[in-house]
Amino acid sequence: GAGVSQSPSNKVTEKGKDVELRCDPISGHTALYWYRQSLGQGLEFLIYFQGNSAPDKSGLPSDRFSAERTGGSVSTLTIQRTQQEDSAVYLCASSLNRVGEKLFFGSGTQLSVL
Amino acid sequence: AQSVTQLDSQVPVFEEAPVELRCNYSSSVSVYLFWYVQYPNQGLQLLLKYLSGSTLVKGINGFEAEFNKSQTSFHLRKPSVHISDTAEYFCAVRFNNAGNMLTFGGGTRLMVKP
């Protein structure tokens, strides 16, 4: 596709369930980021993938959060045993691997944990 | 921890008035600076960026920003706003000792009134 695609656009789940969020970056973009946007807050960095390098996981808030990027393209963010404080918009972005290159953002997944 | 601060969470302004959205960051290391905009029901998109060179940077839609190293600021300005400028504006900083992580401010909601 022409842009970064995220699915689902909305996800409602019960506390304690696991969820998977998907991101399909722009073709050819080697860098992929996950951010979380909570109501009234800025964007919180979660994880960054660059090519075949080990991901930068420094932003993951707990060990319930994990992410994979298969074949250097599609990425999934998994949240295990969801909690109400996980409710937020999860944004994926991709970019070329050049200094200062702009990020292209997807429309996000609105996660609601009841 | 390095941080980005947008002091104003909301800025109401009348159409055709000038506006300044403030952004300060915490570190004295070299940085790359960005402003992103999120229009209602749309994804984030790049407004402008500073990588090097002239400290006054011009972006899309008549916006500009000035990098002030001594004050560690990167304020966004527009001399005359339009209703269509109503959006959430995010300042973002790539600190050059923090890998490829882009740190975002909390956002400023610009509300342009007729």
Side-chain angles (χ1 to χ4, degrees), chain B residues 39-95:
Chain B
Y39 296 105
N41 302 315
Q42 295 186 30
L44 279 87
Q45 56 185 282
L46 183 69
L47 198 57
L48 50 79
K49 63 182 178 182
Y50 169 82
L51 303 183
S52 65
S54 172
T55 57
L56 184 63
V57 179
K58 294 189 183 298
I60 61 172
N61 300 338
F63 283 92
E64 63 181 32
E66 186 158 20
F67 169 47
N68 187 317
K69 187 175 181 180
S70 62
Q71 296 186 4
T72 60
S73 68
F74 191 54
H75 300 332
L76 180 71
R77 303 187 188 102
K78 186 169 182 178
S80 175
V81 295
H82 302 287
I83 296 287
S84 59
D85 293 324
T86 295
E88 187 93 19
Y89 292 80
F90 292 93
C91 180
V93 179
R94 180 174 174 264
F95 298 97

Side-chain angles (χ1 to χ4, degrees), chain A residues 2 13 21 28 62 80 91 94-95 106:
Chain A
T13 190
L21 312 179
S62 78
Q80 296 178 309
L91 292 170
S94 71
S95 75

Side-chain angles (χ1 to χ4, degrees), chain A:
Chain A
V4 177
S5 177
Q6 291 187 246
S7 61
S9 55
N10 281 282
K11 176 71 176 177
V12 180
T13 190
E14 294 179 348
K15 178 181 172 181
K17 301 279 190 182
D18 297 351
V19 296
E20 276 193 359
L21 312 179
R22 176 189 169 103
C23 173
D24 202 340
I26 292 173
S27 178
H29 281 189
T30 56
L32 187 148
Y33 302 75
W34 282 98
Y35 284 86
R36 177 167 72 175
Q37 184 177 19
S38 303
L39 191 63
Q41 303 294 316
L43 277 71
E44 175 188 6
F45 168 78
L46 297 177
I47 188 168
Y48 163 73
F49 294 91
Q50 174 52 55
N52 295 320
S53 302
D56 177 350
K57 303 180 182 180
S58 60
L60 295 178
S62 78
D63 58 8
R64 297 186 294 105
F65 288 72
S66 62
E68 290 185 341
R69 189 178 184 190
T70 54
S73 181
V74 172
S75 177
T76 55
L77 177 70
T78 301
I79 308 173
Q80 296 178 309
R81 305 181 303 281
T82 52
Q83 304 294 313
Q84 288 184 333
E85 61 262 29
D86 298 335
S87 296
V89 176
Y90 288 81
L91 292 170
C92 176
S94 71
S95 75
L96 296 169
N97 183 31
R98 286 199 291 258
V99 170
E101 194 65 35
K102 72 177 181 181
L103 273 60
F104 290 81
F105 282 86
S107 296
T109 294
Q110 172 75 62
L111 175 66
S112 300
V113 181
L114 305 179

